Amino acid sequence: GTKALGHMDQLITSLALDAVKTVTLVDKSTGKKEIDIKRYARVEKVPGGEFKDCRVVRGVVLNKDACHPRMKRKIENPRVILLDCPLEYKKGENSINVELKDPSNFELMLKLEEEYVKGLCEDIIRLKPDLVFTEKGLSDIAAHYLMKAGITAFRRLKKTDNNRLARATGATIVHRTDELQAADIGTKCGLMEVRKLGDEYFVFVENCEDPKACTVLLRGPSKDLLNEMERNLQDAMNVARNLHMDPRILYGGGATEMAVSAALMEQSKSIVGVQQWVYQAVAVALEVIPRTLASNCGGQVVKLITELRSKHAKSGNAQWGIDGRKGELADIRELGVLEPYVVKAQTLKTSIEACCMLLRIDDVVSGMPAKKEGGSSREAPPPAEEEAGGEA
Protein backbone atom coordinates (compact mmCIF):
# COMPACT_ATOMS: atom_id res chain seq x y z
CA GLY A 1 0.00 0.00 0.00
CA THR A 2 2.96 2.37 0.43
CA LYS A 3 4.12 1.93 -3.18
CA ALA A 4 3.39 4.46 -5.93
CA LEU A 5 1.43 1.74 -7.73
CA GLY A 6 -0.28 0.44 -4.59
CA HIS A 7 -3.63 0.21 -6.37
CA MET A 8 -2.15 -2.55 -8.57
CA ASP A 9 -1.19 -4.79 -5.66
CA GLN A 10 -3.29 -7.73 -6.89
CA LEU A 11 -1.66 -7.66 -10.34
CA ILE A 12 1.88 -7.37 -8.96
CA THR A 13 1.22 -10.15 -6.44
CA SER A 14 -0.13 -12.57 -9.04
CA LEU A 15 2.80 -11.86 -11.40
CA ALA A 16 5.36 -12.37 -8.61
CA LEU A 17 3.80 -15.63 -7.39
CA ASP A 18 3.48 -17.04 -10.90
CA ALA A 19 7.10 -16.15 -11.74
CA VAL A 20 8.50 -17.65 -8.54
CA LYS A 21 6.47 -20.86 -8.94
CA THR A 22 7.74 -21.23 -12.51
CA VAL A 23 11.45 -20.95 -11.68
CA THR A 24 11.29 -23.12 -8.54
CA LEU A 25 13.51 -26.17 -8.96
CA VAL A 26 13.27 -29.00 -6.40
CA ASP A 27 16.02 -31.57 -6.00
CA LYS A 28 14.22 -34.93 -5.92
CA SER A 29 16.93 -36.68 -3.92
CA THR A 30 17.38 -34.11 -1.14
CA GLY A 31 14.13 -32.11 -1.44
CA LYS A 32 16.10 -28.85 -1.44
CA LYS A 33 14.57 -25.93 -3.33
CA GLU A 34 16.48 -23.68 -5.71
CA ILE A 35 14.78 -20.39 -6.61
CA ASP A 36 17.09 -18.18 -8.68
CA ILE A 37 14.89 -15.26 -9.72
CA LYS A 38 17.89 -13.15 -10.68
CA ARG A 39 19.04 -15.48 -13.46
CA TYR A 40 15.90 -17.22 -14.62
CA ALA A 41 13.08 -14.68 -14.07
CA ARG A 42 13.75 -11.81 -16.46
CA VAL A 43 11.64 -8.67 -16.57
CA GLU A 44 11.02 -7.29 -20.06
CA LYS A 45 9.61 -3.75 -20.16
CA VAL A 46 7.81 -2.71 -23.34
CA PRO A 47 6.25 0.79 -23.41
CA GLY A 48 2.76 0.89 -24.82
CA GLY A 49 -0.40 -1.04 -24.15
CA GLU A 50 -2.23 -1.23 -20.83
CA PHE A 51 -1.36 -2.57 -17.39
CA LYS A 52 -3.78 -5.46 -17.85
CA ASP A 53 -1.58 -6.73 -20.71
CA CYS A 54 1.18 -7.63 -18.22
CA ARG A 55 1.70 -11.37 -17.96
CA VAL A 56 4.20 -14.10 -17.16
CA VAL A 57 5.48 -15.90 -20.26
CA ARG A 58 6.33 -19.54 -19.56
CA GLY A 59 9.49 -19.36 -21.60
CA VAL A 60 11.80 -16.66 -22.91
CA VAL A 61 11.15 -13.34 -24.62
CA LEU A 62 14.07 -11.78 -26.52
CA ASN A 63 14.35 -8.42 -28.23
CA LYS A 64 15.54 -10.02 -31.49
CA ASP A 65 14.44 -10.61 -35.06
CA ALA A 66 15.39 -13.38 -37.46
CA CYS A 67 18.66 -12.99 -39.38
CA HIS A 68 17.02 -13.34 -42.81
CA PRO A 69 13.75 -11.77 -43.96
CA ARG A 70 12.58 -15.04 -45.56
CA MET A 71 13.02 -17.14 -42.44
CA LYS A 72 9.92 -18.49 -40.70
CA ARG A 73 8.41 -16.19 -38.06
CA LYS A 74 6.16 -18.80 -36.41
CA ILE A 75 6.98 -22.44 -35.66
CA GLU A 76 5.05 -24.87 -33.47
CA ASN A 77 6.92 -27.49 -31.42
CA PRO A 78 10.34 -26.45 -32.80
CA ARG A 79 13.60 -28.36 -32.40
CA VAL A 80 16.05 -25.92 -30.81
CA ILE A 81 19.86 -25.78 -31.02
CA LEU A 82 21.85 -23.42 -28.78
CA LEU A 83 25.40 -22.47 -29.78
CA ASP A 84 28.26 -20.60 -28.19
CA CYS A 85 30.37 -20.29 -31.34
CA PRO A 86 30.34 -18.01 -34.40
CA LEU A 87 28.75 -19.13 -37.65
CA GLU A 88 31.11 -17.11 -39.78
CA TYR A 89 34.67 -17.23 -41.04
CA LYS A 90 37.29 -16.94 -38.33
CA LYS A 91 38.86 -13.51 -38.19
CA GLY A 92 42.40 -12.83 -37.03
CA GLU A 93 42.90 -11.27 -33.64
CA ASN A 94 45.25 -8.69 -35.17
CA SER A 95 45.30 -6.98 -38.54
CA ILE A 96 46.46 -9.38 -41.24
CA ASN A 97 47.84 -8.39 -44.64
CA VAL A 98 47.71 -10.83 -47.53
CA GLU A 99 49.60 -10.31 -50.79
CA LEU A 100 48.17 -11.99 -53.87
CA LYS A 101 50.25 -12.32 -57.02
CA ASP A 102 47.49 -13.95 -59.06
CA PRO A 103 43.98 -12.38 -59.19
CA SER A 104 42.45 -15.87 -59.27
CA ASN A 105 43.79 -16.50 -55.77
CA PHE A 106 41.37 -13.90 -54.43
CA GLU A 107 38.46 -15.93 -55.71
CA LEU A 108 40.06 -19.01 -54.16
CA MET A 109 40.18 -17.27 -50.76
CA LEU A 110 36.51 -16.36 -51.00
CA LYS A 111 35.67 -19.93 -52.00
CA LEU A 112 37.58 -21.35 -49.03
CA GLU A 113 35.76 -19.00 -46.70
CA GLU A 114 32.41 -20.00 -48.17
CA GLU A 115 33.24 -23.71 -47.89
CA TYR A 116 34.22 -23.28 -44.25
CA VAL A 117 30.92 -21.57 -43.41
CA LYS A 118 29.03 -24.18 -45.46
CA GLY A 119 30.67 -26.91 -43.39
CA LEU A 120 29.46 -25.26 -40.18
CA CYS A 121 25.92 -25.06 -41.55
CA GLU A 122 25.98 -28.70 -42.71
CA ASP A 123 26.85 -29.81 -39.17
CA ILE A 124 23.66 -28.07 -38.05
CA ILE A 125 21.43 -29.07 -40.94
CA ARG A 126 22.14 -32.82 -40.54
CA LEU A 127 20.28 -32.78 -37.20
CA LYS A 128 17.20 -31.15 -38.82
CA PRO A 129 16.52 -28.39 -36.26
CA ASP A 130 13.94 -25.63 -36.64
CA LEU A 131 15.59 -22.95 -34.48
CA VAL A 132 19.23 -21.96 -33.99
CA PHE A 133 20.39 -19.46 -31.37
CA THR A 134 24.02 -18.40 -31.13
CA GLU A 135 25.81 -16.01 -28.79
CA LYS A 136 28.30 -14.97 -31.48
CA GLY A 137 28.02 -13.61 -35.00
CA LEU A 138 26.26 -15.22 -37.97
CA SER A 139 27.33 -14.26 -41.49
CA ASP A 140 25.02 -13.59 -44.41
CA ILE A 141 26.24 -16.74 -46.17
CA ALA A 142 25.36 -18.87 -43.13
CA ALA A 143 21.94 -17.20 -42.91
CA HIS A 144 21.37 -18.05 -46.59
CA TYR A 145 22.23 -21.74 -46.12
CA LEU A 146 20.07 -22.04 -43.00
CA MET A 147 17.17 -20.28 -44.69
CA LYS A 148 17.36 -22.69 -47.66
CA ALA A 149 17.15 -25.57 -45.14
CA GLY A 150 14.04 -24.08 -43.49
CA ILE A 151 15.86 -23.10 -40.28
CA THR A 152 15.26 -19.84 -38.41
CA ALA A 153 18.38 -18.36 -36.79
CA PHE A 154 19.01 -15.64 -34.21
CA ARG A 155 22.44 -14.22 -33.41
CA ARG A 156 24.35 -12.31 -30.73
CA LEU A 157 22.36 -13.46 -27.70
CA LYS A 158 23.46 -12.62 -24.20
CA LYS A 159 24.96 -15.39 -22.14
CA THR A 160 22.18 -15.06 -19.57
CA ASP A 161 19.51 -15.32 -22.27
CA ASN A 162 21.14 -18.45 -23.68
CA ASN A 163 21.18 -20.04 -20.22
CA ARG A 164 17.48 -19.29 -19.77
CA LEU A 165 16.72 -20.77 -23.20
CA ALA A 166 18.61 -23.92 -22.23
CA ARG A 167 16.57 -24.27 -19.06
CA ALA A 168 13.26 -23.54 -20.81
CA THR A 169 13.67 -25.70 -23.92
CA GLY A 170 15.78 -28.52 -22.52
CA ALA A 171 18.59 -27.89 -25.03
CA THR A 172 22.32 -28.06 -24.26
CA ILE A 173 24.63 -25.18 -25.14
CA VAL A 174 27.27 -26.49 -27.58
CA HIS A 175 30.62 -24.77 -28.18
CA ARG A 176 31.49 -26.33 -31.56
CA THR A 177 29.20 -27.36 -34.40
CA ASP A 178 31.08 -30.62 -35.05
CA GLU A 179 30.25 -31.71 -31.50
CA LEU A 180 26.49 -31.45 -32.01
CA GLN A 181 24.45 -34.55 -31.13
CA ALA A 182 20.77 -35.40 -31.18
CA ALA A 183 20.68 -35.30 -27.37
CA ASP A 184 21.67 -31.60 -27.44
CA ILE A 185 18.46 -30.56 -29.22
CA GLY A 186 15.71 -29.01 -27.10
CA THR A 187 12.17 -30.23 -27.74
CA LYS A 188 10.22 -28.76 -24.79
CA CYS A 189 9.21 -25.56 -26.58
CA GLY A 190 5.59 -25.38 -27.71
CA LEU A 191 5.66 -22.24 -29.86
CA MET A 192 8.17 -19.80 -31.37
CA GLU A 193 6.77 -16.61 -32.82
CA VAL A 194 8.23 -13.22 -33.74
CA ARG A 195 5.83 -10.43 -32.78
CA LYS A 196 5.99 -6.67 -33.00
CA LEU A 197 5.39 -4.86 -29.71
CA GLY A 198 5.51 -1.10 -30.00
CA ASP A 199 8.29 -0.23 -32.43
CA GLU A 200 10.46 -3.31 -31.93
CA TYR A 201 10.35 -7.01 -32.74
CA PHE A 202 10.41 -9.68 -30.04
CA VAL A 203 10.82 -13.43 -30.36
CA PHE A 204 8.58 -15.43 -28.01
CA VAL A 205 9.76 -18.91 -27.08
CA GLU A 206 6.76 -19.93 -24.99
CA ASN A 207 4.36 -22.70 -23.98
CA CYS A 208 7.35 -24.71 -22.80
CA GLU A 209 6.96 -27.97 -20.92
CA ASP A 210 8.03 -27.42 -17.29
CA PRO A 211 10.29 -24.50 -18.31
CA LYS A 212 11.93 -23.51 -14.96
CA ALA A 213 12.60 -20.13 -16.59
CA CYS A 214 10.19 -17.33 -17.38
CA THR A 215 9.89 -13.76 -18.61
CA VAL A 216 7.64 -11.20 -16.95
CA LEU A 217 6.30 -8.96 -19.72
CA LEU A 218 5.39 -5.51 -18.41
CA ARG A 219 3.26 -3.12 -20.47
CA GLY A 220 2.42 0.45 -19.57
CA PRO A 221 2.01 3.96 -20.96
CA SER A 222 5.50 5.30 -20.10
CA LYS A 223 9.00 4.18 -19.16
CA ASP A 224 8.82 5.86 -15.74
CA LEU A 225 5.78 3.85 -14.72
CA LEU A 226 7.36 0.66 -16.05
CA ASN A 227 10.53 1.31 -14.02
CA GLU A 228 8.44 1.86 -10.89
CA MET A 229 6.46 -1.28 -11.61
CA GLU A 230 9.68 -3.26 -12.04
CA ARG A 231 10.96 -2.10 -8.64
CA ASN A 232 7.68 -3.11 -7.00
CA LEU A 233 7.75 -6.45 -8.80
CA GLN A 234 11.30 -7.17 -7.66
CA ASP A 235 10.28 -6.56 -4.03
CA ALA A 236 7.25 -8.80 -4.45
CA MET A 237 9.28 -11.61 -6.04
CA ASN A 238 11.83 -11.48 -3.21
CA VAL A 239 9.01 -11.81 -0.65
CA ALA A 240 7.43 -14.67 -2.63
CA ARG A 241 10.81 -16.39 -2.85
CA ASN A 242 11.30 -16.15 0.92
CA LEU A 243 7.84 -17.60 1.52
CA HIS A 244 8.52 -20.51 -0.83
CA MET A 245 11.81 -21.25 0.91
CA ASP A 246 10.22 -21.00 4.38
CA PRO A 247 6.42 -20.49 4.53
CA ARG A 248 6.39 -19.33 8.17
CA ILE A 249 5.11 -15.76 8.69
CA LEU A 250 5.03 -13.34 11.62
CA TYR A 251 2.99 -10.29 12.56
CA GLY A 252 4.34 -6.90 11.53
CA GLY A 253 3.71 -3.45 12.97
CA GLY A 254 6.18 -4.02 15.81
CA ALA A 255 4.05 -6.83 17.29
CA THR A 256 6.72 -9.51 16.90
CA GLU A 257 9.47 -7.33 18.39
CA MET A 258 7.28 -6.36 21.32
CA ALA A 259 6.30 -9.98 21.97
CA VAL A 260 9.96 -11.08 21.96
CA SER A 261 10.84 -8.13 24.20
CA ALA A 262 8.14 -9.09 26.73
CA ALA A 263 9.29 -12.74 26.70
CA LEU A 264 12.94 -11.75 27.27
CA MET A 265 12.00 -9.39 30.09
CA GLU A 266 9.99 -12.14 31.76
CA GLN A 267 12.83 -14.62 31.30
CA SER A 268 15.33 -12.22 32.87
CA LYS A 269 13.41 -12.35 36.16
CA SER A 270 14.30 -16.03 36.56
CA ILE A 271 18.06 -15.44 36.07
CA VAL A 272 20.32 -14.47 38.95
CA GLY A 273 23.38 -12.29 38.51
CA VAL A 274 24.66 -9.99 35.80
CA GLN A 275 23.47 -12.31 33.01
CA GLN A 276 19.94 -10.99 33.43
CA TRP A 277 21.19 -7.59 32.24
CA VAL A 278 21.83 -9.07 28.80
CA TYR A 279 18.20 -10.19 28.49
CA GLN A 280 16.97 -6.81 29.71
CA ALA A 281 19.23 -4.89 27.33
CA VAL A 282 18.05 -6.86 24.29
CA ALA A 283 14.42 -6.51 25.42
CA VAL A 284 14.74 -2.72 25.69
CA ALA A 285 16.55 -2.53 22.32
CA LEU A 286 13.75 -4.41 20.54
CA GLU A 287 11.23 -1.77 21.62
CA VAL A 288 12.87 0.69 19.21
CA ILE A 289 10.85 -0.80 16.29
CA PRO A 290 7.35 -0.03 17.68
CA ARG A 291 8.68 3.25 19.12
CA THR A 292 9.91 4.33 15.67
CA LEU A 293 6.60 3.33 14.07
CA ALA A 294 4.68 5.35 16.64
CA SER A 295 6.95 8.35 16.08
CA ASN A 296 6.69 8.19 12.27
CA CYS A 297 2.90 8.12 12.25
CA GLY A 298 2.65 11.11 14.61
CA GLY A 299 1.26 9.28 17.63
CA GLN A 300 1.98 9.83 21.31
CA VAL A 301 5.07 7.67 21.63
CA VAL A 302 5.24 7.27 25.40
CA LYS A 303 1.52 6.53 25.74
CA LEU A 304 1.46 4.03 22.86
CA ILE A 305 4.55 2.13 24.03
CA THR A 306 3.22 1.95 27.60
CA GLU A 307 -0.15 0.63 26.43
CA LEU A 308 1.52 -1.82 24.06
CA ARG A 309 3.84 -3.08 26.80
CA SER A 310 0.88 -3.68 29.10
CA LYS A 311 -0.97 -5.49 26.30
CA HIS A 312 1.91 -7.89 25.71
CA ALA A 313 2.34 -8.47 29.44
CA LYS A 314 -0.92 -10.44 29.27
CA SER A 315 -0.97 -13.77 27.46
CA GLY A 316 -2.80 -14.06 24.13
CA ASN A 317 -2.04 -10.54 22.90
CA ALA A 318 1.04 -11.26 20.78
CA GLN A 319 -0.72 -9.95 17.67
CA TRP A 320 -1.10 -6.37 18.93
CA GLY A 321 1.08 -3.68 17.35
CA ILE A 322 1.11 -0.15 15.93
CA ASP A 323 -1.25 0.92 13.15
CA GLY A 324 1.06 3.07 11.00
CA ARG A 325 -1.84 4.92 9.35
CA LYS A 326 -3.98 5.89 12.33
CA GLY A 327 -1.22 6.13 14.94
CA GLU A 328 -2.92 3.87 17.47
CA LEU A 329 -2.81 0.30 18.78
CA ALA A 330 -4.40 -2.29 16.52
CA ASP A 331 -4.78 -6.02 16.06
CA ILE A 332 -2.23 -6.69 13.32
CA ARG A 333 -3.99 -9.93 12.42
CA GLU A 334 -7.06 -7.94 11.33
CA LEU A 335 -4.94 -5.42 9.41
CA GLY A 336 -3.22 -8.24 7.50
CA VAL A 337 0.32 -6.87 8.01
CA LEU A 338 2.58 -9.94 7.85
CA GLU A 339 6.31 -10.48 7.36
CA PRO A 340 8.38 -13.55 6.44
CA TYR A 341 9.99 -15.40 9.33
CA VAL A 342 13.37 -15.60 7.58
CA VAL A 343 13.60 -11.80 7.36
CA LYS A 344 12.88 -11.28 11.06
CA ALA A 345 15.29 -14.04 12.08
CA GLN A 346 18.06 -12.64 9.89
CA THR A 347 17.51 -9.14 11.30
CA LEU A 348 17.91 -10.34 14.87
CA LYS A 349 20.96 -12.45 14.05
CA THR A 350 22.70 -9.62 12.21
CA SER A 351 22.03 -7.02 14.91
CA ILE A 352 23.26 -9.26 17.74
CA GLU A 353 26.37 -10.24 15.76
CA ALA A 354 27.10 -6.56 15.11
CA CYS A 355 26.84 -5.82 18.85
CA CYS A 356 29.21 -8.69 19.68
CA MET A 357 31.71 -7.40 17.14
CA LEU A 358 31.61 -3.88 18.58
CA LEU A 359 32.02 -5.16 22.12
CA ARG A 360 35.17 -7.03 21.13
CA ILE A 361 36.87 -3.75 20.19
CA ASP A 362 39.16 -2.74 23.07
CA ASP A 363 40.50 0.49 21.64
CA VAL A 364 40.43 2.55 18.47
CA VAL A 365 43.76 3.50 16.96
CA SER A 366 43.53 6.57 14.74
CA GLY A 367 45.90 7.02 11.85
CA MET A 368 45.58 10.82 11.96
CA PRO A 369 48.18 12.81 13.91
CA ALA A 370 46.88 14.65 16.96
CA LYS A 371 46.23 18.35 16.37
CA LYS A 372 48.26 20.78 18.43
CA GLU A 373 46.87 23.75 20.27
CA GLY A 374 47.96 26.07 17.48
CA GLY A 375 45.40 24.47 15.18
CA SER A 376 47.84 22.75 12.82
CA SER A 377 48.98 19.13 13.01
CA ARG A 378 52.16 19.74 11.05
CA GLU A 379 55.41 20.38 12.89
CA ALA A 380 57.05 23.76 12.44
CA PRO A 381 60.11 23.70 10.19
CA PRO A 382 63.49 23.92 12.03
CA PRO A 383 64.97 27.42 12.22
CA ALA A 384 67.54 28.25 9.60
CA GLU A 385 71.10 28.07 10.86
CA GLU A 386 72.96 31.32 11.03
CA GLU A 387 75.65 31.70 8.49
CA ALA A 388 79.18 31.47 9.70
CA GLY A 389 80.84 34.85 10.17
CA GLY A 390 77.54 36.56 10.73
CA GLU A 391 77.02 39.49 13.01
CA ALA A 392 77.53 38.72 16.68
Side-chain angles (χ1 to χ4, degrees), residues 369-380:
K371 291 187 177 181
K372 295 187 176 181
E373 295 181 358
S376 175
S377 61
R378 294 184 178 180
E379 297 182 358

Side-chain angles (χ1 to χ4, degrees), residues 84-114:
D84 186 19
C85 60
L87 296 179
E88 56 188 357
Y89 192 73
K90 288 185 178 179
K91 300 176 183 178
E93 297 181 0
N94 301 319
S95 59
I96 300 175
N97 297 324
V98 180
E99 294 184 2
L100 301 176
K101 295 182 180 179
D102 190 351
S104 60
N105 291 337
F106 182 72
E107 296 180 0
L108 179 60
M109 286 181 58
L110 295 178
K111 187 176 180 181
L112 290 174
E113 178 180 344
E114 183 176 347

Side-chain angles (χ1 to χ4, degrees), residues 38 41-42 53 74 83 100 113 170 174 271 280 383 387 389:
K38 185 177 181 180
R42 176 180 170 82
D53 298 330
K74 183 177 180 180
L83 298 174
L100 301 176
E113 178 180 344
V174 181
I271 299 175
Q280 294 174 2
E387 295 182 0

Side-chain angles (χ1 to χ4, degrees), residues 238-258:
N238 287 327
V239 174
R241 176 189 175 277
N242 290 334
L243 290 176
H244 272 75
M245 298 295 290
D246 190 344
R248 290 178 290 180
I249 55 176
L250 300 173
Y251 296 119
T256 301
E257 288 80 6
M258 204 66 192

